[in-house]
Amino acid sequence: MANSGDYLVEFRTKGSPQRLRDAVKKAPGLFLLNASFRRALRSQHRLRNGLTFMVVVITGTEEITQAHRKAAELALSGGIEFWPHPRRESRAYIHVLDPPSRKKIRTPAPVVEWQGQHDFVLVLARNRSNVPDDLKIIADDVVDLAGPTTRHIKAVRRLLGREPVDDVTAAAIASLNFSALVSAVCRPRVSLEIVQRLAAASRPVAIDPVPRLEDLPGYGSAREWALTFVEDVDRCKRGEMDWSHMDRGVLLYGPPGTGKTLLAQAIARSAGLPLIVASVSGWQSYGHLGNLLEAMRRTFEMAQAQQPAIVFLDEIDAIGDRTRFADNHANYSRQVVNYLLESIDGAGGRQQVIVIGATNYPEAIDAALLRSGRLERHIPIMLPDKDERFEILRFHLCLKEGLEELREIAADLEGWTGADLEMLTREATRIGRRQNRPAELDDVAKSLPPVQELSEESARRIAVHEAGHVVVAHVLSPRSRISVSMRRQFRWIGSESRQRGGTAKYEAPDDDRAVDTRQHLESFICRALAGAAAEEHFLGCRSNGFSGSKGSDLDEATVVATQMVVSYGMSKSLAFLTESRHVTAESTRRLPNSLREEVDRILEEQYSRALSIVAEHAISLDRLATALLEKGTLTADDVDDLIAGHQIAGRNASVVDVLAGDFGRCRGDRIPKG
Ligand code: ADP
Ligand code: ZN
C-alpha cells in the first residue's frame, strides 16, 4: 500500500520490550524493519543526545509502506533505548515523501516550517533522487535504511519458534531484498539453496546512495582501468567473455582518503554486482583466532552465494606479512594469512567472485597475496591533481556560479585528498544550510582553513634547504635538469600542512638505467640529505623539516640505505635478507644491531659528504637560495644560469648575508616538510 503523509509521534520515556515482542509475533516484517530503522538511526549523535534533528531515511524500496511508517514510529517512540533525554512533551514529526513520478520534485515549501514547528523531524523517502535538493541541504543527515543483520534474522526465527539457521544462511537471508527476506525468515525450514533461489527470483534491492563510476570525478588512470573492468563484467554477463578471463583480484593502493572505498562501491554499482564489504580489522574485532577465521569465511561464502559478486577488503595490509611477524605472534598471524590466501584462491568455485583489496601501505602486504590469481593487478590511487580537485569540489556542491573562482581555490589545495575536499564542502554546505540555502562560493572560501604566512626566518630556511638539494644534485650529476619551487603560504588541515614547503625536481639523463649501482644509490641518499646539510651548514642546525614522516627526505634516505644493506648486498654482509620492495623505515628498526649500524654508517657518510659539498659550493648555494626566496620558482634554465655564476633578474641581498645574523640560532619553528 503506497502511503504518504505526515504523522506525529509521541515519545515514551521507556522502551517496551514486551510490546516489541508482541509486534514480532504479529508482524515479523515490522520487527525487522524496526531493527533496520534503529540501525540507521543509531549513529545519529543529535538524536542520541536529544538535540533537535532532521534526518532523511532512504528506504531503497519501490514504495513506502504503512509498515515503514509504523516501524519508524516504533523506533522513535517505543523501543529506542538510545534516547537518553526524551522530553516527555516532545513529539517527533514523520513525513513520508512519495512523489508519484520519478522526476525530481521541487522544494516543498513546508520543509522549513516543519523545522520551525518540530524539534525532531524524520523524513522517509524511497530513494535519493526523490529528495529535493533543499531538503538534502537542510537535513542533518541523509541515511540509508540498511537491512537487518544476521543477529536480527536469527532473533526473529527464535521468537517465531522456527528452526535455527547457521550464520552463513542468516547472512544470505540478510542480503535478500525485503519482501524475499521476510518470507525466508518466516519459513519453517530454510537452507542456503532456498535462499539462493529466492535471491535469483527477487529483484535486487534498489538502494542507490553510491554514485555511478561514470559520474565520479578524479582517479586519473585508475578510472580507465575501472571503466574497462565494468565493460568486461558486462561482457561476461552477456556470455561474450568468460569469467575466468577477468582479473581475479585487484589491489587499490594510495594515501587514505583518496576514495578507494568509494571507487569500489561505484564499480560495483556500475557493474550491477553486489558488493560484500569487509575489513581485516572488522574480522579481527571478532576476537580470537577461531572467530576471526569464521568471520573471514562468512564474507567469502556470502559472496559465493551471490556470485557474480565483488568482495571489497579494506585495510588489507593489517593482515600482515608472514616474513615479518615477531615470534610471539607468528603462528596466529601465519594462520590468518594462509586462511585468507585459501579463501581468495577459492577452494572450489569462486570463478565469479572478484576481490578488490585496498591499502594505504602496499609494501606491508604479504607477497603471496599479490601473486597472479590473487590480488594480481595493482592500481595506484594518487592524490587528485588540480583539475581533479576542482571536479571533486564541484561534485560535492551544487554551485551554479563562481566556478572559475572555485577552480582557483582547488588549484591552491595541493596535497588535499578527496576526503579533505569533501569535508570542506560539508562545512560550506553547513554554512548555507544555516541560512536555508545551498552552499555558495563564498561559503567554500569561508570554510577554508586560514592561510598562514611563513615567517621570514622559516622562508629563508626552506630556501636554503631546497638550494642544498639543488647544489648537491648538480654536483653529483652535472647533466641533470633541476627545477625547484617553494611556497610561503600554507593552509593547515588539523595539525598538519599537506603542502610541501619546497620541492626540487630532478631529471637525470641517465635516470632510465636498468640497474642501480652502489654509486647511484649513495648519490641518491646524499642528495636526499642535502637539504638538512645545507640548513646545518648555513643556519647552524637542521630543523625537523626533512624528517618525521613517511615520504620525508630522511625516510627516503633510510629506506635506500636499508635496501643496500638487506637486499642488495652492498654492505659488509653479502647476504640477501629480504626483497627490496618490502623495505620500509620500519624494517630498519627491526634489524639486528650489527646491520642497523651499517645503515647508520651509510647515512652518516652521505650526510658528511653532503655537508662538504654544500660548504664547497656555498656561493652557488647562496645565489640559488636568494633567487628562490625572491621568485618562488626556478626553472631548470634558471638553475643552470645561477650555478654557472650568472645572476638572474632582480637579485637583492644575499640570503647568507642576511642569515649571518641568525647564525647559531635555532628556533623550533614548525616548517612544513620540504
Ligand atoms: P579511502 O578508502 O581511500 O580511504 P574513501 O573512499 O573512504 O577513501 O573516501 C572518503 C570520502 O572522500 C568519500 O566518501 C568521498 O566523499 C570523498 N572522495 C574521495 N575521493 C573522491 C573522488 N574522487 N570524488 C568524489 N569524492 C571523493
Ligand atoms: Zn628536502
Side-chain angles (χ1 to χ4, degrees):
M1 185 200 345
N3 178 346
S4 73
D6 304 335
Y7 305 88
L8 283 177
V9 183
E10 269 178 57
F11 291 129
R12 290 184 180 78
T13 10
K14 272 226 145 94
S16 151
Q18 185 54 45
R19 188 170 156 208
L20 218 53
R21 213 165 298 132
D22 294 344
V24 181
K25 290 247 167 71
K26 268 193 249 136
L30 183 63
F31 174 85
L32 290 165
L33 265 183
N34 175 262
S36 308
F37 270 100
R38 289 154 58 116
R39 255 183 98 195
L41 296 177
R42 184 153 293 155
S43 61
Q44 294 302 315
H45 79 98
R46 300 191 64 83
L47 178 56
R48 296 176 66 133
N49 294 309
L51 303 170
T52 61
F53 70 82
M54 179 186 276
V55 176
V56 181
V57 177
I58 307 292
T59 61
T61 49
E62 288 287 303
E63 59 179 22
I64 294 175
T65 61
Q66 196 71 291
H68 280 111
R69 210 255 311 145
K70 188 88 186 129
E73 192 185 311
L74 265 175
L76 286 180
S77 69
I80 246 174
E81 78 281 10
F82 53 84
W83 183 260
H85 315 293
R87 301 185 222 157
R88 275 174 187 286
E89 73 282 12
S90 306
R91 282 155 178 247
Y93 179 73
I94 299 181
H95 180 83
V96 178
L97 276 179
D98 195 28
S101 77
R102 292 201 153 263
K103 277 194 306 201
K104 278 198 181 178
I105 51 165
R106 282 286 316 138
T107 324
V111 170
V112 182
E113 282 169 32
W114 306 336
Q115 219 181 10
Q117 290 167 11
H118 311 279
D119 286 344
F120 314 106
V121 181
L122 196 66
V123 181
L124 305 186
R126 291 178 301 153
N127 56 42
R128 287 191 185 232
S129 43
N130 277 349
V131 183
D133 288 341
D134 303 38
L135 178 55
K136 276 186 200 152
I137 292 161
I138 293 166
D140 292 302
D141 208 351
V142 180
V143 296
D144 294 291
L145 195 63
T149 63
T150 52
R151 265 187 43 233
H152 295 137
I153 306 279
K154 290 176 144 184
V156 174
R157 287 190 68 83
R158 205 172 38 243
L159 285 165
L160 293 174
R162 303 290 194 254
E163 213 169 72
V165 289
D166 61 21
D167 282 341
V168 179
T169 311
I173 296 177
S175 68
L176 292 170
N177 81 24
F178 197 73
S179 57
L181 186 153
V182 175
S183 88
V185 174
C186 297
R187 290 172 92 97
R189 235 164 271 115
V190 59
S191 65
L192 195 56
E193 290 72 54
I194 295 179
V195 180
Q196 281 164 353
R197 253 185 284 138
L198 279 169
S202 60
R203 271 167 298 144
V205 193
I207 294 183
D208 261 349
V210 174
R212 292 182 318 168
L213 184 59
E214 303 82 305
D215 301 332
L216 210 54
Y219 293 112
S221 59
R223 191 190 165 73
E224 317 285 294
W225 163 79
L227 288 167
T228 315
F229 179 91
V230 169
E231 275 170 28
D232 286 348
V233 169
D234 275 345
R235 259 184 228 123
C236 290
K237 282 181 168 174
R238 290 197 302 266
E240 294 162 18
M241 184 175 148
D242 196 77
W243 283 98
S244 63
H245 294 144
M246 288 294 298
D247 292 329
R248 296 298 302 281
V250 182
L251 178 71
L252 307 178
Y253 65 94
T258 43
K260 297 181 285 296
T261 312
L262 185 64
L263 181 63
Q265 291 170 328
I267 288 174
R269 172 167 178 210
S270 286
L273 297 183
L275 184 73
I276 292 90
V277 179
S279 76
V280 173
S281 59
W283 287 334
Q284 281 161 348
S285 69
Y286 283 88
H288 66 77
L289 185 65
N291 292 347
L292 186 157
L293 299 182
E294 175 62 25
M296 207 189 282
R297 186 171 66 88
R298 219 176 306 139
T299 298
F300 284 93
E301 279 181 353
M302 241 169 92
Q304 207 166 319
Q306 299 177 61
Q307 65 177 325
I310 299 179
V311 172
F312 179 70
L313 299 182
D314 205 0
E315 311 161 27
I316 196 153
D317 51 274
I319 206 89
D321 178 343
R322 287 166 302 176
T323 59
R324 299 201 252 164
F325 294 135
D327 278 346
N328 47 343
H329 282 122
N331 186 39
Y332 174 97
S333 308
R334 213 165 280 132
Q335 286 198 57
V336 175
V337 176
N338 288 340
Y339 199 82
L340 179 62
L341 288 173
E342 259 172 55
S343 307
I344 290 185
D345 289 344
R350 194 184 66 75
Q351 273 74 20
Q352 301 180 17
V353 175
I354 293 152
V355 180
I356 300 185
T359 181
N360 309 332
Y361 306 102
E363 67 283 348
I365 296 178
D366 197 297
L369 260 171
L370 305 177
R371 295 225 179 92
S372 68
R374 292 163 182 169
L375 302 182
E376 54 192 352
R377 192 181 281 272
H378 307 155
I379 311 274
I381 310 285
M382 314 287 220
L383 289 173
D385 66 19
K386 67 177 173 13
D387 294 326
E388 292 176 330
R389 292 196 294 271
F390 167 67
E391 293 300 337
I392 294 173
L393 287 177
R394 207 167 65 152
F395 176 83
H396 288 289
L397 294 163
C398 31
L399 274 194
K400 306 258 150 35
E401 284 160 15
L403 289 181
E404 272 320 299
E405 291 87 342
L406 189 69
R407 196 178 276 284
E408 279 167 29
I409 290 178
D412 197 40
L413 300 179
E414 178 206 329
W416 283 42
T417 64
D420 296 333
L421 295 165
E422 195 241 6
M423 210 170 69
L424 177 68
T425 62
R426 237 186 301 147
E427 184 53 37
T429 305
R430 207 174 337 224
I431 296 179
R433 189 195 294 148
R434 274 187 225 126
Q435 297 166 43
N436 291 329
R437 57 167 177 74
E440 291 165 3
L441 180 79
D442 203 36
D443 304 325
V444 181
K446 277 196 203 122
S447 309
L448 284 167
V451 172
Q452 294 194 2
E453 179 97 21
L454 279 191
S455 68
E456 206 44 40
E457 192 182 333
S458 298
R460 270 186 249 135
R461 184 176 280 278
I462 290 181
V464 167
H465 177 108
E466 294 308 321
H469 286 306
V470 174
V471 163
V472 170
H474 178 79
V475 169
L476 297 177
S477 171
R479 289 195 301 140
S480 50
R481 303 279 292 155
I482 310 158
S483 55
V484 59
S485 62
M486 65 170 284
R487 57 160 68 225
R488 287 165 178 255
Q489 292 189 331
F490 295 85
R491 289 190 194 280
W492 297 73
I493 310 178
S495 61
E496 62 174 322
S497 165
R498 298 278 165 80
Q499 296 152 322
R500 282 174 169 261
T503 322
K505 289 205 180 95
Y506 324 96
E507 271 174 58
D510 47 358
D511 242 3
D512 57 351
R513 58 185 173 249
V515 290
D516 273 316
T517 61
R518 179 183 187 131
Q519 190 198 347
H520 287 140
L521 296 168
E522 286 175 347
S523 295
F524 178 94
I525 298 171
C526 182
R527 188 179 78 188
L529 298 178
E535 289 184 47
E536 176 152 346
H537 180 77
F538 289 101
L539 305 173
C541 66
R542 49 188 192 245
S543 67
N544 65 0
F546 86 118
S547 55
S549 63
K550 212 173 129 137
S552 63
D553 294 343
L554 187 60
D555 174 47
E556 288 185 350
T558 306
V559 167
V560 173
T562 309
Q563 286 169 329
M564 289 173 67
V565 173
V566 301
S567 308
Y568 303 148
M570 291 182 185
S571 72
K572 275 190 213 141
S573 161
L574 259 183
F576 171 78
L577 298 176
T578 188
E579 283 188 58
S580 58
R581 66 187 181 89
H582 281 171
V583 174
T584 60
E586 173 69 12
S587 331
T588 318
R589 193 172 63 77
R590 284 189 245 124
L591 288 178
N593 279 346
S594 59
L595 293 181
R596 214 162 78 197
E597 279 162 17
E598 285 288 290
V599 175
D600 287 345
R601 191 181 52 77
I602 296 175
L603 291 173
E604 271 161 29
E605 269 176 22
Q606 294 312 314
Y607 187 69
S608 308
R609 184 173 168 214
L611 271 175
S612 40
I613 297 175
V614 298
E616 196 180 325
H617 296 82
I619 296 179
S620 297
L621 199 151
D622 175 27
R623 252 198 314 270
L624 282 159
T626 308
L628 179 60
L629 196 57
E630 193 176 305
K631 292 184 59 177
T633 303
L634 301 177
T635 64
D637 287 339
D638 292 341
V639 167
D640 285 347
D641 283 352
L642 286 157
I643 286 178
H646 306 304
Q647 317 229 318
I648 59 171
R651 181 179 187 271
N652 54 24
S654 142
V655 171
V656 176
D657 292 345
V658 179
L659 289 173
D662 294 333
F663 194 84
R665 205 168 77 199
C666 210
R667 289 231 220 104
D669 239 340
R670 276 196 64 138
I671 299 184
K673 310 288 168 210

